[in-house]
Amino acid sequence: MSDTVSLIEFKPSTRISPISKVFSPGYTVYVYNDSKWSDVYIYSWDNNGELTGTWPGTKMTKTDVNGVEYYKYEFDGSLNGKAINMIFNNNNGSQTAD
């Protein structure tokens, strides 16, 4: 996995989602869990189908960035130049807007 080349900070309570961004290889998406969800999942897709598995997606990994707790998901190089869509959810419970 390559180094993180971008930080997209997403806060579920704001209900603003980074939808249809163009990603380079090796991007890592970070979510700040200000809604205090018990689990944070990422569901993503492009024009060819699902990228992180069927709904509710893939459980994100808890990590620390400069002393702040985030959840992260690392996309691989197969996304080079693709526009993708993302929804974050609480394991099939609360979710961000489509």
Side-chain angles (χ1 to χ4, degrees):
M1 180 60 63
S2 65
D3 291 334
T4 300
V5 292
S6 179
L7 174 70
I8 298 173
E9 182 176 294
F10 174 75
K11 297 180 178 179
S13 68
T14 63
R15 304 202 49 87
I16 299 171
S17 181
I19 300 296
S20 295
K21 299 288 184 180
V22 176
F23 286 84
S24 297
Y27 265 67
T28 302
V29 177
Y30 291 86
V31 174
Y32 179 75
N33 187 18
D34 65 331
S35 292
K36 305 300 181 207
W37 289 347
S38 58
D39 292 304
V40 180
Y41 280 69
I42 182 171
Y43 175 75
S44 65
W45 69 97
D46 66 9
N47 290 338
N48 295 316
E50 297 169 319
L51 300 171
T52 53
T54 59
W55 184 261
T58 299
K59 186 173 181 176
M60 298 179 77
T61 304
K62 190 183 297 188
T63 190
D64 180 274
V65 178
N66 298 325
V68 178
E69 184 180 283
Y70 288 89
Y71 286 79
K72 72 176 185 175
Y73 181 80
E74 298 176 1
F75 286 96
D76 63 26
S78 66
L79 296 178
N80 189 17
K82 290 183 181 179
I84 67 170
N85 303 286
M86 292 180 277
I87 297 175
F88 302 100
N89 68 83
N90 188 14
N91 191 17
N92 214 15
S94 301
Q95 71 177 58
T96 59
D98 290 358

